[in-house]
Amino acid sequence: MSRLDAMIARLLTQRAALDAAVRLVADLDGPVLEIGLGKGRTYSHLRRALAGREIYAFDQELHAPPDAVPPAPYLRLGDFRDTLPAMAGQIPPAALAHADIGSEDRQADAALAHAIAAPIARLRAEGGLVLSDRALAHPRLREIATPRADLPAGVSPWRYFTYRVAGP
C-alpha cells in the first residue's frame, strides 16, 4: 500500500469510526474530549456532528487554523500527561473521547498511550466511548469492534481502536 493509499484508508476509517461513535453516544450526556487537536479536522467534524455539545480539545501546541480552534475555555495546551489529569473534577464525565496521538515513532506513541489511558478512563462517563489511533490499556476500557460499515468498497480499513468504558 502506498503512503497515499494508507493516508486515505486512515482518514476514511477515522471518519467512519467517528460517525458511528456520534450515533452511539447521542443519548449519553457529557462533553467530548478531542485529544490531539492537530489541524482541527476531526474537531471540526465532531463540532458539526455534535452541534451544541461541549468539546474540549487538547494538544501540545496550536497548529489548527482559526476556524478549527475551540474557544479558549475549551482548549488545553501542553503535555497530555499533565493536561488530561488536570481536568479531573473540572468537567462532567465525557460521553466520547477521541485520541488521535499517532506519529511515525511507534515506541513513543506506545509510551504516550500507556501514560494517558488512565486519565482518559477517569474522565469518561460509564458506558461512554473512547476512540484511538493507538491501543490503550486500562481495566475500565473494554475494546469493542470498530464499525466499518461506512467505508467505501475497496478501501482497506486502517486499524482504529474503540473502547466502551466500564464501571469503576
Side-chain angles (χ1 to χ4, degrees):
M1 179 183 296
S2 73
R3 290 181 66 85
L4 176 61
D5 288 333
M7 175 61 88
I8 291 167
R10 181 179 77 83
L11 292 175
L12 288 171
T13 299
Q14 185 178 57
R15 183 179 64 193
L18 287 168
D19 289 346
V22 164
R23 289 188 300 273
L24 292 170
V25 301
D27 295 328
L28 188 61
D29 290 332
V32 173
L33 308 179
E34 174 70 329
I35 304 160
L37 177 62
K39 302 286 187 193
R41 288 181 290 263
T42 56
Y43 169 79
S44 173
H45 189 75
L46 289 169
R47 186 175 57 193
R48 284 180 185 251
L50 294 167
R53 193 174 303 230
E54 294 180 316
I55 302 176
Y56 291 89
F58 300 79
D59 215 328
Q60 281 282 101
E61 302 170 338
L62 186 58
H63 296 285
D67 69 332
V69 176
Y74 297 97
L75 179 62
R76 301 293 188 266
L77 297 178
D79 192 310
F80 299 139
R81 288 167 266 236
D82 299 324
T83 56
L84 287 168
M87 293 300 289
Q90 302 297 312
I91 61 172
L96 173 64
H98 174 239
D100 187 355
I101 62 167
S103 72
E104 300 284 331
D105 186 341
R106 294 290 190 169
Q107 279 189 316
D109 292 352
L112 181 57
H114 177 75
I116 67 173
I120 289 172
R122 279 194 296 275
L123 291 168
R124 303 285 306 110
E126 184 174 341
L129 288 180
V130 176
L131 300 177
S132 180
D133 65 342
R134 297 295 183 253
L136 300 172
H138 187 272
R140 289 190 63 210
L141 300 177
R142 308 280 193 264
E143 189 169 5
I144 63 173
T146 299
R148 307 232 189 264
D150 295 337
L151 291 179
V155 173
S156 299
W158 188 262
R159 183 68 171 111
Y160 225 73
F161 301 88
T162 306
Y163 304 92
R164 245 315 155 204
V165 179

